[in-house]
Amino acid sequence: MRAVWKGTIGFGTYAIPVKAYSAIEEHNVPLHQVHEPDGGRVRVKWVCEVDGAEVPAAEIAKGYPVPNGDVVLLTSGDFASLLPPTTQSMDVVGFTPAEQVDPMYFARSYFLEPEPAGTKPYVLLSEALQQSGRIAIVKVTLRQRETLGALRVRDQVILLETMLWPDEIRRPDFPFLHEDVDLRRGELRNAVSLIEDLTRDFDPGRYTDHYREALEALIQAKLDGDDVLRPTAAEQTEGVTRLLAALQQGPVEKAQEAADKAREARTRAKRTASSGSSAKTS
């Protein structure tokens, strides 16, 4: 794994040096957008809507659109000025019972590995969090943006969960929430009984991604049946056509050059003969 962040956890008088690694990896089947007739890869081009020109990456910046059509241009220096004095510190701002934090706030997970010099305070914090049943609320700067986070323990490893800000959580407003739904006591009792009968310990290994398995099997079947496109075939055909044209053009040009020379020779001969006739007449 490659570390995506390196810094310290600021906890009281402790400064625990750690490295952060992404705790997840999505296993998607890689699919490209292609041109259906020949299988050629479809590429995205960045085009300016003002002059229609293709824009190189070096000229792409960020801008805030104003309702009247103006744009506030923001440079890399502008964004740098918004960052805290240090981006290598994860500051603990408080602790809270784990059950009070709705999992909906969690955005992405990172494993935190202690540097050798910080192993003992790291383990101390880990054990303290587990025994207290608390999680630590932190502020950390990741990918050039300050974010809220939570530190919790999983398999003796401290896990950083980046969190959404409160105003990023939508409030549902569905019609049934404003209605009085009459539930009979027997119906509710039966539903609870059914849930209890189907309750078991959570084992993620029991579940598989059937869609991915079916997609991989479909792709393999097409490969086995040679049901594929060869995007380079069109380029190769065009190259052969150009080569043949070049080969054909060579003799034609030589023949034309020889014809031009013969024509010039005949013209000179006529001029010479004409000059000789004039001399004899004189």
Side-chain angles (χ1 to χ4, degrees):
M1 292 189 293
R2 183 176 63 86
V4 299
W5 183 87
K6 184 177 180 180
T8 60
I9 302 175
F11 170 48
T13 58
Y14 291 104
I16 308 173
V18 295
K19 292 184 289 188
Y21 303 85
S22 179
I24 63 172
E25 56 180 4
E26 298 182 1
H27 293 164
N28 295 322
V29 178
L31 298 175
H32 294 161
Q33 289 184 322
V34 299
H35 188 206
E36 185 175 357
D38 56 21
R41 181 81 177 270
V42 176
R43 302 288 183 177
V44 175
K45 292 184 178 181
W46 300 97
V47 179
C48 176
E49 64 178 15
V50 175
D51 57 14
E54 185 175 350
V55 182
E59 296 181 7
I60 297 178
K62 294 184 182 295
Y64 177 82
V66 183
N68 66 0
D70 293 340
V71 174
V72 178
L73 184 65
L74 299 172
T75 66
S76 57
D78 294 328
F79 287 107
S81 67
L82 302 176
L83 298 177
T86 175
T87 59
Q88 305 304 115
S89 177
M90 187 185 306
D91 298 323
V92 177
V93 296
F95 297 88
T96 190
E99 63 273 11
Q100 291 186 6
V101 180
D102 191 326
M104 180 178 283
Y105 280 97
F106 295 152
R108 195 171 181 87
S109 304
Y110 296 89
F111 290 128
L112 298 183
E113 177 194 22
E115 298 281 11
T119 300
K120 184 174 181 179
Y122 177 98
V123 174
L124 175 61
L125 177 59
S126 172
E127 291 294 330
L129 288 174
Q130 292 181 82
Q131 292 190 22
S132 66
R134 303 292 194 268
I135 61 175
I137 304 300
V138 300
K139 280 189 175 182
V140 59
T141 300
L142 287 174
R143 294 183 172 86
Q144 305 301 310
R145 182 180 178 183
E146 186 181 59
T147 184
L148 199 62
L151 300 183
R152 65 183 184 90
V153 180
R154 182 179 186 273
D155 297 333
Q156 306 302 314
V157 175
I158 298 178
L159 204 65
L160 166 65
E161 301 277 5
T162 58
M163 301 174 65
L164 301 172
W165 296 100
D167 60 356
E168 293 178 319
I169 303 294
R170 291 178 172 176
R171 282 186 168 275
D173 187 18
F174 303 126
F176 81 91
L177 295 174
H178 308 287
E179 301 174 0
D180 292 329
V181 181
D182 184 23
L183 294 179
R184 296 181 180 180
R185 185 173 300 177
E187 294 173 337
L188 180 58
R189 185 166 51 249
N190 290 338
V192 172
S193 177
L194 180 60
I195 291 175
E196 291 177 347
D197 291 341
L198 296 176
T199 297
R200 63 180 67 179
D201 293 335
F202 177 65
D203 178 12
R206 185 184 295 121
Y207 311 101
T208 57
D209 187 351
H210 293 296
Y211 175 81
R212 193 184 77 188
E213 291 179 349
L215 179 57
E216 290 175 342
L218 174 62
I219 293 173
Q220 187 60 48
K222 286 181 175 288
L223 287 173
D224 295 340
D226 199 28
D227 184 8
V228 297
L229 296 174
R230 292 177 175 81
T232 58
E235 293 182 10
Q236 293 174 354
T237 301
E238 183 181 355
V240 170
T241 302
R242 289 198 301 265
L243 176 61
L244 292 176
L247 293 175
Q248 292 174 356
Q249 185 178 9
V252 171
E253 288 181 347
K254 291 180 179 179
Q256 184 65 41
E257 183 180 355
D260 292 340
K261 290 182 178 179
R263 189 180 302 110
E264 290 178 2
R266 287 195 298 270
T267 301
R268 285 197 298 271
K270 289 180 180 180
R271 289 176 181 173
T272 303
S274 177
S275 299
S277 298
S278 300
K280 291 179 179 179
T281 302
S282 302

